[in-house]
Amino acid sequence: MTDDASSPSPADAAGQRCGVIAIVGKPNVGKSTLLNALVGQKISITSRKAQTTRHRITGIRTRGATQSIFVDTPGFQTRHATALNKSLNKTVLGAIGDVDLVLFVVEAGHFALADAKVLSLLKPGVPTLLIANKLDHVHRRAEIAPWLRDMQERHPFAEFVPMSAKNKADIERLFGICEKYLPVQPWFHGEDELTDRSEKFLASETVREKLFRFTGDELPYTSTVVVDKFEEEASKAHGRLVRIAATIVVERDGHKAMVIGEKGERLKRIGTEARQELEKLLDAKVFIEVWVKVRSGWADDEARVRSFGYE
């Protein structure tokens, strides 16, 4: 009988832990900020705008003998039954279907109907940590104790973790807590891998983040970004050169004018900031062109939602 050369020997995998951890919660409770902090690098876009995350994004972090595979999900949508929102909710349900641990993220001291709807999706039998995020926003800590008792009655949480995703000590503590829930088994990914998403995907997400950052609440969240070209070439001067062409898709002519801005200034700023961030992320010289097109009603059109990269 011969050993399978591709599988790690018992010595290689000795003591290794590896597991999948889903990060779930209603829109805008800080799930993407938490994922980026846990991975140690920005891979999920953040903005103050609700419903920024639209895809299942996997972040990988290997520390010591433990590899944690984090899945950041879109916030579960309870308003507007568009084709886009149905697709987002399917993504959430798919992500929590087969995991070793769930981090249920809620704002410390708050619990709304939208939180309850997400909580109702969680399956019994999968250990769930209550991540009471944004603890730094709570002025009187004494008020948290009765709230935690109330939360324990809502769901049999394995543990409570009051924290702030922006606090490094809290992130360290969370790693220690998560580790014991992950099975002893060989790692699924290489030690230095950070995400299973392609660089082309990260480019579209980066442009989308800048779009939301510079348009604030003016622009409906149904706007999206499609990368039409992502080409890499060798460069003596820069080592690596990436050329990107991206299209911002909006639903109305008025939205297009808003994205372009006066004398094209806003669109230029979106492109410049996206380029600067992508140069760091991809470790390359980046040339990026950003265009704007109108595609009315795309978020309600299932075929078009799929063509823009949503499941």
Side-chain angles (χ1 to χ4, degrees):
M1 197 170 105
T2 58
D3 284 336
D4 179 358
S6 65
S7 63
S9 70
D12 292 343
Q16 284 188 354
R17 283 180 183 269
C18 182
V20 181
I21 302 168
I23 303 173
V24 302
K26 71 176 183 186
N28 232 21
V29 288
K31 297 184 299 297
S32 297
T33 302
L34 179 60
L35 174 71
N36 292 335
L38 288 164
V39 173
Q41 186 173 320
K42 186 168 169 184
I43 58 167
S44 188
I45 72 173
T46 60
S47 86
R48 285 192 297 275
K49 197 175 190 70
Q51 303 164 315
T52 310
T53 300
R54 293 220 186 128
H55 300 265
R56 173 180 166 145
I57 295 174
T58 304
I60 304 153
R61 185 75 180 270
T62 307
R63 292 161 45 101
T66 302
Q67 185 170 84
S68 306
I69 299 159
F70 297 101
V71 182
D72 180 24
T73 58
F76 196 78
Q77 314 299 318
T78 54
R79 296 160 54 204
H80 319 309
T82 61
L84 174 62
N85 279 358
K86 285 176 187 163
S87 156
L88 301 186
N89 286 349
K90 204 168 133 196
T91 303
V92 179
L93 292 169
I96 60 179
D98 185 25
V99 298
D100 300 293
L101 180 65
V102 172
L103 306 184
F104 175 66
V105 186
V106 65
E107 273 191 58
H110 297 271
F111 191 81
L113 182 60
D115 297 301
K117 288 193 173 174
V118 179
L119 192 56
S120 71
L121 303 173
L122 303 184
K123 295 179 177 173
V126 179
T128 301
L129 306 184
L130 175 73
I131 306 297
N133 194 29
K134 305 187 183 180
L135 189 65
D136 48 325
H137 293 185
V138 177
H139 301 301
R140 296 175 63 187
R141 297 290 168 94
E143 293 168 6
I144 288 292
W147 177 80
L148 287 174
R149 281 197 296 273
D150 183 44
M151 292 303 295
Q152 183 64 69
E153 287 169 15
R154 293 180 186 277
H155 188 87
F157 292 105
E159 294 186 46
F160 294 145
V161 188
M163 64 174 291
S164 165
K166 294 178 177 175
N167 183 314
K168 282 189 177 172
D170 286 353
I171 293 295
E172 282 294 318
R173 186 166 54 91
L174 182 57
F175 269 116
I177 294 166
C178 291
E179 192 172 296
K180 59 189 184 229
Y181 293 96
L182 303 185
V184 175
Q185 61 180 348
W187 298 339
F188 297 167
H189 298 275
E191 192 169 351
D192 52 359
E193 283 182 62
L194 292 175
T195 182
D196 66 344
R197 284 298 191 171
S198 69
E199 291 183 334
K200 182 178 174 182
F201 172 82
L202 293 174
S204 72
E205 289 288 275
T206 302
V207 174
R208 197 159 63 85
E209 178 184 59
K210 303 311 171 195
L211 168 68
F212 285 152
R213 187 152 289 173
F214 293 123
T215 55
D217 292 329
E218 298 169 75
L219 192 69
Y221 90 100
T222 46
S223 312
T224 196
V225 174
V226 179
V227 172
D228 308 296
K229 180 177 90 174
F230 188 98
E231 292 173 357
E232 191 177 333
E233 55 191 74
S235 158
K236 279 185 181 171
H238 307 290
R240 186 182 184 212
L241 181 70
V242 177
R243 295 185 191 277
I244 300 166
T247 303
I248 293 170
V249 181
V250 296
E251 295 213 293
R252 297 200 179 101
D253 288 322
H255 300 159
K256 181 176 179 178
M258 188 194 302
V259 172
I260 292 171
E262 201 171 325
K263 296 182 181 171
E265 279 303 309
R266 187 178 268 169
L267 186 62
K268 189 176 171 187
R269 201 167 165 203
I270 289 167
T272 301
E273 294 235 350
R275 176 185 60 74
Q276 289 168 346
E277 187 155 315
L278 284 166
E279 287 187 333
K280 282 189 230 154
L281 203 59
L282 306 178
D283 194 21
K285 177 70 179 168
V286 172
F287 289 104
I288 186 165
E289 293 177 294
V290 185
W291 311 91
V292 190
K293 282 184 186 168
V294 178
R295 293 282 181 272
S296 61
W298 79 265
D300 286 311
D301 180 339
E302 284 191 26
R304 193 162 260 165
V305 165
R306 280 197 300 277
S307 79
F308 287 163
Y310 300 100
E311 297 300 322

